[in-house]
């Protein structure tokens, strides 16, 4: 009966705030972990804490949250309660490190959004946020045991990072975010929603002393996951405001467009100068050639004159036969001189128009660019959970990406909005042929927001590449409807610079 209770679907309706802030995005990967020990069909013990997804079907929590599984190895149900949806799922502890107070639980039935570890430095005094399910809130609000297995958004509390400490030979983070029993196993996040620690314990507060929280440090968590052979996402870039990053990227985009235009103008100027130099040289060559022709004509004329004069002398000597041949030869030289003179170059020179191989490349947004390798530009990107590995693309004519996906015109750029069936992420992909800048703006959304986007996505009929301008215009209109349903800002924007593949 208890097992059925843990695994039952609890039909309730709820949604996270209609915004794509980083903490809310991370909250969708946070779960409640419930353990129930049953002996002889009687509940003999009950415990609960928090956890977060490091893979779609695996969550991290504290070892002490699942201690009942060690105490009653054959009589404990481990329940995973996502932060949204209407079901709970049974899990199994697959790795446990009592010294680090960490455990890894595997489950089936749903894919959760994963959280990334932040591997960069955490500044003392920096803001941190704790997410989880504090027991004192549950005691105040829960009406029955069923409330512990009802999907519900985690409680967030904010504080500051107060430094690193050592607790029982384990590195921990000291912080002031309010946590309580039940927060154990939940993530401690930086402002971008990356995990910097796993909440584990509280200081004892007596006679009005301030309360501090301890979180298992990111270094200990990374070591635990490596030893458990569990891959995880890690991001080392510092946290920046998405609004600031978009503004900076817009400025960088304008500079890149200006650079591309200047490069085109420079190429045109260089070609013009080269053509002018070539024209001057051609005219000089033509003038020299004309002068050479005239000199040859003059020589022929002189030789003709001398030959005709020789014919006259031969005639005076009564050498008539020789005189005739000399006269014919002289006449021939005269004719040759006239022909050479008439055929001399005029000195007027024209050059052929630039060909496709010599003219500066005019930006034709519909032209194919072929296969390229795109490398992330860190100073223009904001990354919270995604990989920044290079991306290979094949840009075809009229916005055809990788020979199968049609992009829609957006001014001189091309856009495609991806709304996957499983992942809770909407991506706006954009490519600028002029600057060869490729970008991916990612919105990490709630289940309700994804359902709304998917309903609009069903209206998109253009599935493959098309040269039909009307079909592409329709795609642009349909994508505009999806864009209008998205939050004002994405969680991530990864900007890539593309170059021709080897």
């Amino acid at each position: 009966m208890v097992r059925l209770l843990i695994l039952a679907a609890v039909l309730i309706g709820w949604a996270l705030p209609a915004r794509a802030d980083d903490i809310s995005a991370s909250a969708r990967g946070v779960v409640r972990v419930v353990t129930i020990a049953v002996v002889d069909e009687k509940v003999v013990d009950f415990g609960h804490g928090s956890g977060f997804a490091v893979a779609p079907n695996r969550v991290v929590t504290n070892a002490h949250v699942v201690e009942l599984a060690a105490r009653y190895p054959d009589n404990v149900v481990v329940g995973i309660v996502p932060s949204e949806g209407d079901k709970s799922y049974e899990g199994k502890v697959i790795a446990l490190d009592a010294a680090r107070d960490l455990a890894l639980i595997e489950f089936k039935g749903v894919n959760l959004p994963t959280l990334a570890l932040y591997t960069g430095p955490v500044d003392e005094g920096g803001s941190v946020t704790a997410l989880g399910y504090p027991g004192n809130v549950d005691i105040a609000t829960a009406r029955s045991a069923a409330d512990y297995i009802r999907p519900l958004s985690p409680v967030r509390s904010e504080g500051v990072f107060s430094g690193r400490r050592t607790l029982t030979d384990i590195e921990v983070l000291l912080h002031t975010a309010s946590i309580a029993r039940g927060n154990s196993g939940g993530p401690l996040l930086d402002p971008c929603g990356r995990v910097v620690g796993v909440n584990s314990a509280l200081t004892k507060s007596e006679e009005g002393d301030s309360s501090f929280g301890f979180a298992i440090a990111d270094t200990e968590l990374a070591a635990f996951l490596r030893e458990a052979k569990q891959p995880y996402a890690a991001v080392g870039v510092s946290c920046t405001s998405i609004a600031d990053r978009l503004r900076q990227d817009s400025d960088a985009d304008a500079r890149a467009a200006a650079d591309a235009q200047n490069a085109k103008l420079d190429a045109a100027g260089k070609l013009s100068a080269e053509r002018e130099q070539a024209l001057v040289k051609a005219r000089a060559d033509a003038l020299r050639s004309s002068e050479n022709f005239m000199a040859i004509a003059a020589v022929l004329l002189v030789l003709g004159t001398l030959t005709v004069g020789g014919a006259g002398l031969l005639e005076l000597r009564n050498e008539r036969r020789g005189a005739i041949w000399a006269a014919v030869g002289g006449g021939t030289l005269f004719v040759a001189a006239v022909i050479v003179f008439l055929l001399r170059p005029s000195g007027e020179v024209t050059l052929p128009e630039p060909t496709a191989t010599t003219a500066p490349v005019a930006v034709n947004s519909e032209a194919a660019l072929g296969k390229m390798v795109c490398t992330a530009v860190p100073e223009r990107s904001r990354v919270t959970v995604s990989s920044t590995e290079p991306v290979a693309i094949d840009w075809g004519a009229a916005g055809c990406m990788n020979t199968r996906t049609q992009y829609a015109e957006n001014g001189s750029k091309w856009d495609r909005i991806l709304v996957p069936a499983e992942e809770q992420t909407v991506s706006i992909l954009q490519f600028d042929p002029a600057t060869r800048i490729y970008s991916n703006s990612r919105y990490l959304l709630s289940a309700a927001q994804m359902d709304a986007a998917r309903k609009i996505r069903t209206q998109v009929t253009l599935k493959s590449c098309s040269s039909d301008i009307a079909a592409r215009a329709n795609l642009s209109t349909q994508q505009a409807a999806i864009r209008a349903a998205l939050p004002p800002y994405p969680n991530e924007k990864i900007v890539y610079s593309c170059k021709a593949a080897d």
Side-chain angles (χ1 to χ4, degrees), residues 355-441:
T355 64
T357 57
T358 61
V361 178
V363 178
N364 178 4
S365 64
E366 295 205 11
L369 296 178
K371 295 182 178 180
M372 291 180 282
V373 175
C374 305
T375 306
V377 183
E379 61 272 18
R380 294 188 58 179
S381 302
R382 184 182 194 258
V383 183
T384 59
V385 298
S386 299
S387 168
T388 57
E389 293 296 315
V391 176
I393 66 173
D394 185 355
W395 187 253
C400 181
M401 175 70 84
N402 297 333
T403 71
R404 62 179 181 273
T405 304
Q406 180 63 54
Y407 280 46
E409 289 96 331
N410 181 1
S412 62
K413 303 176 183 178
W414 295 80
D415 292 348
R416 182 71 188 205
I417 301 180
L418 301 183
V419 185
E422 298 295 334
E423 185 184 356
Q424 286 187 215
T425 302
V426 171
S427 295
I428 299 181
L429 306 177
Q430 186 176 85
F431 183 68
D432 185 350
T435 60
R436 300 197 178 189
I437 293 295
Y438 178 67
S439 67
N440 181 357
S441 298

Side-chain angles (χ1 to χ4, degrees), residues 45-234:
D45 212 338
F46 171 86
H48 74 97
S50 306
F52 59 93
V54 292
N57 66 329
R58 290 183 176 179
V59 299
V60 164
T61 188
N62 283 146
H64 74 258
V65 170
V66 292
E67 63 179 351
L68 286 181
R71 197 186 312 168
Y72 305 95
D74 299 321
N75 301 89
V76 171
V77 175
V78 178
I80 300 297
V81 188
S83 62
E84 60 182 1
D86 56 11
K87 291 183 179 180
S88 302
Y89 303 88
E90 186 172 5
K92 177 183 178 182
V93 178
I94 60 172
L96 189 142
D97 187 332
R100 290 192 176 100
D101 194 19
L102 294 173
L104 185 64
I105 303 172
E106 185 178 65
F107 60 95
K108 296 179 180 180
V110 67
N111 290 332
L112 295 179
T114 59
L115 279 66
L117 276 65
Y118 175 56
T119 58
V122 183
D123 297 329
E124 290 194 22
S127 298
V128 291
T129 300
L131 288 179
Y133 297 89
N136 50 9
V137 174
D138 290 328
I139 291 173
T141 60
R143 291 169 295 179
S144 68
D147 286 334
Y148 287 90
I149 60 166
R150 179 177 289 114
L152 190 67
S153 58
V155 175
R156 73 164 76 181
S157 62
E158 298 179 353
V160 298
F161 170 58
S162 302
R164 292 180 182 265
R165 297 290 189 274
T166 300
L167 189 64
T168 61
D169 296 326
I170 299 299
E171 185 178 23
V172 296
L173 308 182
L174 187 65
H175 64 87
T176 64
S178 297
I179 60 174
R181 292 184 179 88
N183 276 106
S184 294
L188 185 69
L189 308 173
D190 75 350
C192 280
R194 287 90 61 94
V195 178
V196 296
V198 183
N199 286 312
S200 179
L202 279 169
T203 58
K204 291 183 178 180
S205 298
E206 297 178 357
E207 299 180 0
D209 289 343
S210 297
S211 177
F212 289 87
F214 290 104
I216 307 301
D218 55 310
T219 52
E220 303 286 358
L221 174 59
F224 167 72
L225 292 174
R226 286 194 298 268
E227 291 171 9
K229 294 181 172 55
Q230 173 59 53
Y232 60 91

